[in-house]
Amino acid sequence: MAQLSDDCFAFGGPMMTVAEAKSLIRERLRPVGGIETVALYEADGRILAEDIAAPLDLPPFANSAVDGYAIDGASIPTESEAAFTVSGPVQAGTSPERLDAGSAARIFTGAPMPENADTVYMQEDVRLNAGNFVHLPVGLTRGSNARPAGEDVARGDTILSAGRRLRPQDIALTAAFGLTHLRVRTRVRVAIFSTGNELVEPGETRGRAQLFDSNRAMLMAMARRLGAEVTDLGILRDDRATIADALVGAAREHDIILTSGGVSTGDADFVKDALQATGSLVLWRIAIKPGRPVVMGVVAGTPLIGLPGNPVASFVTFAHVARPAILALAGGEATAGLTLPVRAAFAYRKKKDRREYVRASIRTGSDGLPEAVKFPREGAGLISSLVGTDGLVELPEELREVAAGDTVSFIPYDTLF
């Protein structure tokens, strides 16, 4: 469990930029928990705890890349077509015999090369006659169509590094070396709750002035996609003592606490007061839109991040504040969402010294190039804007205006989780 000092997130600047927030998280948060061994087939999405070196060459033996005829490269015809006696066949999973002089082994894709063969003619490039002979043309380069041992990975090379969040292709690579178990970091334990008298649980009776709580379900899903073990603490009413008790209890059993709502400066925003009563709170005035009201604090050594109540603001600030915090606690690599240059198909004005994220869809322009189309409506409460778009256009602090045709940076949603 994280045991942090109450001032570990102290920041002296008047307004924290997104880059400063991420840098502070990387500097101050360290991996929590321990290391465990899991079965290979259960390792997807987990954080690798140690480097993995290749225990053998991949492929472990030289093999044919095509269906054809394997020969010793020293025998490649140079002046005119030549006839070779056909031996074999050599199929995948079999052990070939040594080639005799003047012979070519009939071989199939993936089959091991005979010990003294290093070149394969594709079957469509040769000519067969009625006898047991194959006629090979001139001009082939020695080593063609043969995969040497270690062509993909050499024995001893590092194939995966500690801190990597494992993906299906990583699982495939480790399986190719015959590994059955991997050492991974234990999951980060995340406690999540929403605050607000206006919220009601989906499925329950909703009052006329109430809303179904959507943020908590979204945050839990995003945290789980990062490999976290999530505890749902439900909806807490607007009461300082109730919230304070929940924070103290969550801090004892979790590595990080995420809240939604109650972090602005209104009289009914009690998260700030509850944190001040139970630990230490630094109100991050992050220069970001949507999502300026974001706070971070420490309760009994456990970090807390308070996200805004508006769904889009909660989504954006999770991606750029909570996500790097969870990955840092998990021992994961400090990766950012993939940023792609695209053409803006919209005009937009923004304030200087504030990073803004514009919801946009990607379409193919008339010239075949990708362009970003802004969602037609504004508002940090429009959940449909997250569903109806493909990602976020990131506009840096120094930028004041975007004109149609400008190149902008686009972050696909799929790269954030």
Side-chain angles (χ1 to χ4, degrees), residues 368-385:
L369 297 177
E371 57 185 23
V373 181
K374 180 181 173 293
F375 192 76
R377 292 177 290 151
E378 299 284 348
L382 302 179
I383 305 176
S384 62
S385 67

Side-chain angles (χ1 to χ4, degrees), residues 48-114:
L48 192 63
E50 55 190 26
D51 293 350
I52 299 178
L56 48 81
D57 288 331
L58 188 65
F61 52 84
N63 65 90
S64 178
V66 298
D67 293 344
Y69 296 84
I71 66 168
D72 179 351
S75 302
I76 295 175
T78 57
E79 299 294 333
S80 61
E81 179 185 275
F84 289 73
T85 302
V86 177
S87 64
V90 184
Q91 297 179 331
T94 64
S95 298
E97 296 180 356
R98 184 177 179 85
L99 279 178
D100 294 330
S103 67
R106 177 64 167 131
I107 196 167
F108 297 95
T109 304
M113 295 285 288

Side-chain angles (χ1 to χ4, degrees), residues 174-379:
T174 51
F177 290 101
L179 302 178
T180 61
H181 291 78
L182 298 178
R183 298 272 285 168
V184 298
R185 289 199 171 272
T186 52
R187 296 183 186 275
V188 174
R189 297 168 298 173
V190 182
I192 297 178
F193 65 83
S194 296
T195 65
N197 293 336
E198 76 280 10
L199 299 178
V200 64
E201 189 72 26
E204 295 183 355
T205 301
R206 182 186 65 84
R208 184 174 179 274
Q210 289 185 306
L211 300 170
F212 290 119
D213 182 15
S214 60
N215 279 10
R216 201 171 88 257
M218 176 180 68
L219 296 176
M220 288 192 296
M222 290 192 289
R224 287 190 177 114
R225 287 201 172 197
L226 296 178
E229 179 182 307
V230 176
T231 300
D232 178 14
L233 298 184
I235 301 169
L236 301 187
R237 297 305 166 197
D238 290 327
D239 178 77
R240 191 184 79 165
T242 299
I243 296 173
D245 288 345
L247 293 181
V248 172
R252 284 196 294 263
E253 303 294 335
H254 298 86
D255 302 308
I256 186 170
I257 305 168
L258 299 183
T259 71
S260 171
V263 296
S264 199
T265 56
D267 292 338
D269 294 313
F270 293 103
V271 172
K272 173 185 174 182
D273 291 342
L275 279 170
Q276 288 177 323
T278 57
S280 176
L281 169 68
V282 175
L283 182 59
W284 277 13
R285 299 178 62 239
I286 297 182
I288 184 174
K289 181 184 178 182
R292 178 176 173 178
V294 178
V295 298
M296 178 169 276
V298 180
V299 180
T302 298
L304 177 143
I305 297 177
L307 304 176
N310 281 320
V312 178
S314 186
F315 181 94
V316 169
T317 51
F318 180 98
H320 296 285
V321 181
R323 175 182 181 270
I326 292 174
L327 289 177
L329 292 170
E333 297 170 339
T335 58
L338 177 66
T339 302
L340 303 173
V342 300
R343 183 174 57 211
F346 61 90
Y348 188 82
R349 294 181 63 86
K350 63 176 285 292
K351 289 184 178 180
K352 190 175 181 295
D353 298 327
R354 182 173 69 186
R355 186 170 300 191
E356 296 195 15
Y357 293 91
V358 178
R359 289 144 277 172
S361 299
I362 297 297
R363 72 183 183 192
T364 302
S366 58
D367 57 359
L369 297 177
E371 57 185 23
V373 181
K374 180 181 173 293
F375 192 76
R377 292 177 290 151
E378 299 284 348

Side-chain angles (χ1 to χ4, degrees), residues 119-207:
T119 303
V120 180
Y121 276 84
M122 292 190 292
Q123 60 187 19
E124 55 265 39
D125 293 337
V126 306
R127 184 170 60 86
L128 298 171
N129 64 11
N132 192 33
F133 292 94
V134 61
H135 296 264
L136 306 181
V138 300
L140 190 66
T141 301
R142 186 169 190 172
S144 294
N145 305 313
R147 305 184 186 109
E151 177 190 49
D152 189 0
V153 180
R155 180 177 181 177
D157 286 353
T158 298
I159 58 172
L160 296 173
S161 299
R164 186 180 189 88
R165 186 151 60 103
L166 296 169
R167 306 166 299 167
Q169 54 265 51
D170 302 321
I171 303 301
L173 182 59
T174 51
F177 290 101
L179 302 178
T180 61
H181 291 78
L182 298 178
R183 298 272 285 168
V184 298
R185 289 199 171 272
T186 52
R187 296 183 186 275
V188 174
R189 297 168 298 173
V190 182
I192 297 178
F193 65 83
S194 296
T195 65
N197 293 336
E198 76 280 10
L199 299 178
V200 64
E201 189 72 26
E204 295 183 355
T205 301
R206 182 186 65 84

